[in-house]
Amino acid sequence: MKLGLKAHLHYRMVQITDLLLQLEASDTPEQVLVQANILFTETQHFSRTRAEDGIGERIWLRVDGDFICDYNAIVEITRKAHDISHLPAVPPHLLPGEAVRYLMPSRYCPVDEFHNVVASEFGHLNGGARIAAMRDWIARTIQYVPGASSSRTTALDTYVQRQGICRDYAHVMISMARASAIPARFASVYAPGVTPQDFHAVAEVYLDHAWHLVDPTGMASADSIAVIGVGMDAAEVAFMTSFGPAELVYQWVEVDVLPD
């Protein structure tokens, strides 16, 4: 599948501000960048740095006044969509070192609060079968309500309130997976069919010695997703982190399926 990606950001800074951007699709064996272009208004500094787990890049900027960014890319997705329900879990003692950190609690994923939940609701299932059941439970139980959460909302808040947006769905999925001793990380992505269209968030779980994308909102499948980056939770993969006041003026994202 070939995707056309477009993102436009317009923010206003009241003072000189450092920004950390992560909004470009990564170039990996499962998704190839056919072409890409990113443009900014004038900046006082520009540099690139590797993102978490070496997936994608971040951009450091120093800006003042109105900041406008336009990103355009074409990405060819070669990733297959697997039926994860048949995949085995990897015993914790056999996990590779890079996966171990994704068993731990993080800012938005209070894993310890979910041990009793997963034991009572999904304790009869193992591995991918448990992940699939949790994914379906989240999609069925939580309502997608734009504006229902904030930058302070944790997975536990979403579990209790039963409403949120894609990042909240992903945080609940990640927390439940980690509470099941299955590594899970947050993935910031582009995907067609997301309503309303925006930067999207899904979970990625470690099963059968490989990472597998899981979208508990049910809006995107693994073979239609362009990954931007990964991290412990949304705090590590924000499309823009501002180290100073930043006023949103206008922002939009467009993802189109292109003809082969």
Side-chain angles (χ1 to χ4, degrees):
M1 177 180 291
K2 194 174 290 185
L3 299 180
L5 314 177
K6 295 180 181 178
H8 175 84
L9 310 181
H10 184 178
Y11 284 79
R12 184 164 294 133
M13 315 298 161
V14 298
Q15 61 192 39
I16 297 174
T17 303
D18 289 337
L19 298 179
L20 185 61
L21 297 187
Q22 189 171 0
L23 53 78
E24 299 169 294
S26 56
D27 195 8
T28 71
E30 294 183 322
Q31 56 182 60
V32 179
L33 280 177
V34 178
Q35 65 182 57
N37 185 49
I38 190 164
L39 297 173
F40 311 107
T41 46
E42 184 177 354
T43 65
Q44 298 184 18
H45 174 82
F46 171 93
S47 62
R48 290 183 175 273
T49 183
R50 285 168 62 85
E52 295 295 325
D53 290 353
I55 298 176
E57 290 185 330
R58 294 179 173 126
I59 298 175
W60 275 114
L61 300 170
R62 170 160 278 203
V63 302
D64 191 15
D66 277 42
F67 167 69
I68 298 174
C69 169
D70 281 295
Y71 171 64
N72 295 271
I74 295 176
V75 183
E76 186 169 0
I77 311 297
T78 60
R79 183 186 308 106
K80 304 296 183 183
H82 298 283
D83 180 0
I84 61 170
S85 65
H86 299 298
L87 299 178
V90 178
H93 70 283
L94 296 180
L95 289 170
E98 62 270 17
V100 173
R101 73 187 293 253
Y102 295 111
L103 291 173
M104 309 304 177
S106 59
R107 176 178 175 181
Y108 294 113
C109 300
V111 176
D112 294 343
E113 303 291 343
F114 284 86
H115 285 298
N116 291 337
V117 172
V118 299
S120 62
E121 294 289 336
F122 310 105
H124 61 294
L125 298 168
N126 296 300
R130 179 181 288 202
I131 293 294
M134 293 189 296
R135 174 201 63 201
D136 296 344
W137 182 91
I138 294 167
R140 184 174 63 250
T141 307
I142 298 177
Q143 277 190 297
Y144 196 96
V145 181
S149 60
S150 71
S151 60
R152 296 183 297 275
T153 301
T154 69
L156 183 60
D157 296 327
T158 302
Y159 175 81
V160 171
Q161 296 165 6
R162 302 296 167 93
Q163 59 182 11
I165 58 174
C166 58
R167 58 170 267 162
D168 305 307
Y169 281 64
H171 286 152
V172 175
M173 181 79 250
I174 291 165
S175 299
M176 288 185 169
R178 292 178 187 170
S180 303
I182 297 172
R185 61 191 184 186
F186 187 97
S188 176
V189 307
Y190 291 101
V194 172
T195 304
Q197 185 63 71
D198 203 343
F199 296 106
H200 194 44
V202 301
E204 195 170 30
V205 298
Y206 194 80
L207 294 168
D208 197 23
H209 300 281
W211 288 102
H212 299 272
L213 293 168
V214 179
D215 185 0
T217 71
M219 289 193 283
S221 61
D223 56 355
S224 67
I225 286 174
V227 174
I228 299 169
V230 300
M232 289 289 283
D233 54 33
E236 287 193 346
V237 209
F239 68 86
M240 187 181 85
T241 303
S242 175
F243 295 86
E247 175 193 350
L248 171 63
V249 178
Y250 185 59
Q251 175 177 304
W252 56 263
V253 172
E254 184 178 314
V255 182
D256 298 306
V257 176
L258 304 179
D260 293 330

